[in-house]
Amino acid sequence: MEWEVVIGLEVHVQLNTKTKIFSGSSTTFGAAPNTQASAVDLALPGTLPVLNEQALKKAILFGLAIDADICMASVFDRKNYFYPDLPKGYQTTQMDFPIVGPGIVTISLSDGSSRDIRVHHAHLEEDAGKSLHEDYHGMTGIDLNRAGTPLIEIVSEPDLRSAEEAVAYLRKIHSIVTYLDISDGDLSQGSLRCDANVSVRPKGQAEYGTRAEIKNINSFRFVERAIKVEVQRQIELIEDGGKVKQETRLYDSDKNETRAMRSKEEANDYRYFPCPDLLPVVIEQSLVDQLKTTMPELPDAKRQRFEQAYGLSSYDAALLTTERAIANYFEAAADAAGDAKLAANWVNGELSAALNRDNLGIANSPVSASQLGGLIQRIVDNSISGKIAKQVFEALWNGEGDSADAIIDSKGLKQVSDTGALGAMVDEVLAANPDQVEQFRGADEGKRKKMLGFFVGQIMKASKGQANPGVINKILNEKLGG
Amino acid sequence: MPNHTVADILRGLEAKTFSSEEITQQYLDAIVAHDPRYNSYITVTAAAALEQARAADLARQNGSGGLLCGVPIAHKDIFCTDGVRTSCASKMLNNFIAPYNATIVTKLAQAGTITLGKTNMDEFAMGSSNETSFYGAVRNPWNTDCVPGGSSGGSAAAIAAGLAPAATGTDTGGSIRQPAALCGLTGLKPTYGRVSRYGMIAFASSLDQAGPMAKTAEDNALLLQAMAGFDPLDSTSMQLPVPDFVGGLNKDLKGLKIGVPKEYFSEGLDPAIGAAVEAALDEYRKLGAEIKAISLPHTHLAVPCYYIIAPAEASANLSRFDGVRYGYRCENPKDLDDLYTRTRAEGFGAEVKRRILIGTYALSSGFYDAYYRKAQQIRRLIKQDFNEAFKEVDIIAGPTTPNPAFALGEKVSDPLTMYLEDIYTIAVNLAGLPAISLPVGLTQGKPIGLQLIGRDFDEASLLAAAHQYQQRSDWHRQVAPGSV
């Protein structure tokens, strides 16, 4: 039987406000446990929440970016459950009237096509603290630094049809929130966390299969692997005559498997009700209008502009625009180089490979955009060949000089175009290969072209790559052509 | 010394008849000597009080003292007080030393008040008799076999016994007005949002309001002046200017329209209370007010509506008492469930547990629409009743309670009868309105309270009406037989 995969994602994004959503405590990651927890965060008796306006604005920006309706009177609710890292015994979140209504996220797929994924809504809520199970001699430590960090939870419709699409969607959410600068998007610090609702159904069937929710998958790679392994589990289960249970499952990345956490029957009754400590959040249209004017160019618009203004392929443009910082880097490099296509090739090629190899983000690239631009300039004006350029790039990367020019100078890598010097080199190569010269002279036009490459190669070797290939060709043709 | 009002004390301090230190010492001595009979205080902060009093005396000398400079008062033990146990009369918080001050505690301290101590109350403010306290019941100074009312019963008894000239209270369904009525005092529940709730341990957040309790309307005005105002730490406090309550006390009552709801005089009302209220209304006629019969048709729904909304909110508000971070924790929990279950089973009293269960039930999936949502709809109808009435009248008047102080133990085992003691006060909280209770008579030696209800944020009219009645009557000057 052919199966269709149905996936909906719930993505939690930590907003990068300076202070928490309902208190004045700092949100900086990595501080000593419980040093960033105020009376409000500890839920001391008598304390009350006050909404952080910056968190509200960031949520509205997200809504505008996915073309959603903004709720002009959204309501905070209490979600009741007991857990040691949830100090109040309830989470303040939004249920019936979330700040962001239905919207659209467009994802690009590897075959060049794109799909619109519907977002059901996005709501504001507070993060919980952390339970620490190590180093406490069998007891559990509670760190409430994270408690009260503002989150938006973005809930998609079940529109995703493969693990690849789920990853593309998550990457798109990541690029939108980082473009908007509403989150640092740092997955390793939990700034973006994902729950996946996964089900399968026979292709062509209208109703959905029973879904399992996979909790807390916190990297792009694990999202793909967790969904794939869960899909496989469900298909095998059904094909063996079993039934998928509605339950919450945990992904174990070490064993690459999902495990049941709790079934629907064991699920909490969260007893949502409007939080009486917070009035409905009434927004003026003028605030929305004002925020609209602060919207940066978003990935889709930037990608279109890159295609049109720089003549880039849609693939290159998409690659360059996934991260705002990469797009900015590219634009600066292209500006300095005066050749956008070449700049795109270098950013997507050499630079990207080097960053991956050394596990660095673009912000920490040892080669700056202007340095790369300067390097590309020397390719464009024929001062160096593409091959030499790679050497120069490595040297820049390793900090062997401040600019491409300085490295070219100090290493003497400048391309040799002097006809006298190259003529002598050609003569040497021809003299050393009399048989090939004989063959060349006896060959027809078609074969001659191929054989010319042999001589060029020999000369490049002799010149350590610095000979200008155009000039060599010209001299060779003169000397062999006779 | 006994039965000083706040205004008396301010005059005495101004005239140097006594110093703040002297008067504070007198109250502290009286508490030691007489409070064992009433149990009105949970904690007495004698050393700190005397230190504050000496500082106040200095400030008064320097001319830098605030409105209430040197006046000793007591705080209901529901308000967080920095460095002092704040128990909410619960075993759960018997060991809780608050690390910060409630906003009203700070504001009153800035105005110059001295804190004598923390007063007894019903556990987590849940009760109408002050019998649910972990620290034991409070006795009514008018009749020590009777309850003082609740939940601010300790504050009421302390004032009536002469163990404090004034005190703070909180009112979620009548918890200031009912004990004020039962102890012969004047007590004001301000409009919801007039006074900050920050640092006041929450019972039902959409209903809770802090307010003053004292002998006279004038004292209430003095305290409210210091307590009221917007607080950036409380999103539900209103950004409105605070009127000059003291300056407005003598505002002419001529032409004031007072509405009397027929529903407040139906079955269940003690006839002696009905008669005392009628007599008080006559005094208002003499003051130039016009008395009109009105109707608040949804009055009978107020108690059932309240006993959905208040417990629902309480069930969430009290979840933070889980034994994890502060407060009571059970011995040797064997796992997390055991920690939660035994901590809460052992730490909360019966009435608190009853309300948590009611509230949890009312919010449960499948019951929410039938209970909580329905109650919210009824709440809007009740508010509408008042809106309609206030198109016709300026103030609504009636009895504060259906009965005078009842005997200790009389209603403990019958929660429904107990809940009905708040039948006239509860609707006011549901509507968020201000209301004051003032003494207007005695029956069998027990005080009777008149309730005046005002428009949103019109505490000034209530204080003026109560004050001018008190200029023509001496019910508020009656001294409880057990008073110092």
Side-chain angles (χ1 to χ4, degrees), chain B residues 319-334:
Chain B
S319 291
R320 66 188 59 195
F321 305 109
D322 56 6
V324 173
R325 294 168 312 288
Y326 51 77
Y328 179 75
R329 178 187 285 193
C330 69
E331 297 278 340
N332 301 317
K334 64 175 197 291

Side-chain angles (χ1 to χ4, degrees), chain B residues 340-459:
Chain B
Y340 286 147
T341 311
R342 278 202 290 126
T343 293
R344 291 168 65 81
E346 294 163 14
F348 289 135
E351 182 62 25
V352 172
K353 281 187 260 192
R354 179 181 357 258
R355 296 199 195 189
I356 289 173
L357 289 175
I358 293 172
T360 303
Y361 182 81
L363 290 172
S364 295
S365 152
F367 298 101
Y368 184 89
D369 287 341
Y371 294 109
Y372 189 77
R373 198 185 298 281
K374 185 65 80 185
Q376 290 292 13
Q377 289 164 354
I378 291 168
R379 185 175 185 174
R380 281 193 286 278
L381 293 177
I382 287 167
K383 175 72 175 169
Q384 236 169 53
D385 280 359
F386 282 107
N387 288 344
E388 288 303 313
F390 281 123
K391 286 179 186 164
E392 311 276 322
V393 300
D394 304 309
I395 281 179
I396 294 169
T400 307
T401 62
N403 296 296
F406 46 93
L408 281 154
E410 186 186 326
K411 298 182 193 232
V412 179
S413 54
D414 186 358
L416 273 183
T417 328
M418 182 82 88
Y419 295 169
L420 285 171
E421 284 304 304
D422 296 329
I423 190 160
Y424 305 132
T425 48
I426 270 177
V428 169
N429 298 78
L430 290 168
L433 298 167
I436 196 167
S437 178
L438 60 152
V440 294
L442 287 170
T443 172
Q444 295 166 342
K446 295 186 273 192
I448 294 170
L450 170 75
Q451 177 175 231
L452 302 175
I453 305 165
R455 294 192 177 99
D456 277 329
F457 296 101
D458 191 16
E459 293 86 359

Side-chain angles (χ1 to χ4, degrees), chain A residues 2 4 10 105 179 188 211 230 287 303 306 312 451:
Chain A
E2 233 193 306
E4 183 176 49
E10 292 167 16
V105 169
Y179 265 68
S188 67
R211 67 174 193 273
E230 174 61 16
L287 174 67
R303 173 179 165 180
F306 280 12
L312 301 183
M451 295 182 73

Side-chain angles (χ1 to χ4, degrees), chain A residues 183 187 476:
Chain A
S183 174
L187 278 80
L476 268 175

Side-chain angles (χ1 to χ4, degrees), chain A residues 39-51 78 80 82-90 96 142 144 269-274 276-279, chain B residues 80 93 96 99-100 192 197-201 205-206 232-236 312-313 316-317 319-321 324-326 336 340 344 360 363-365 368 372:
Chain A
V40 174
D41 307 318
L42 293 168
L44 290 189
T47 54
L48 295 171
V50 175
L51 177 61
R78 292 181 180 178
N80 295 285
F82 285 102
Y83 205 71
D85 62 20
L86 187 73
K88 295 191 294 293
Y90 56 83
D96 290 334
I142 305 293
L144 295 176
D269 177 358
Y270 290 121
R271 306 188 310 279
Y272 285 94
F273 75 105
D277 287 329
L278 292 159
L279 301 173
Chain B
C80 284
L93 291 176
F96 178 65
Y100 75 103
Y192 186 78
R197 293 188 295 115
Y198 191 80
M200 171 179 143
I201 299 178
S205 312
S206 75
L233 298 177
D234 175 2
S235 311
T236 62
E313 292 180 8
N317 282 333
S319 291
R320 66 188 59 195
F321 305 109
V324 173
R325 294 168 312 288
Y326 51 77
L336 187 59
Y340 286 147
R344 291 168 65 81
T360 303
L363 290 172
S364 295
S365 152
Y368 184 89
Y372 189 77

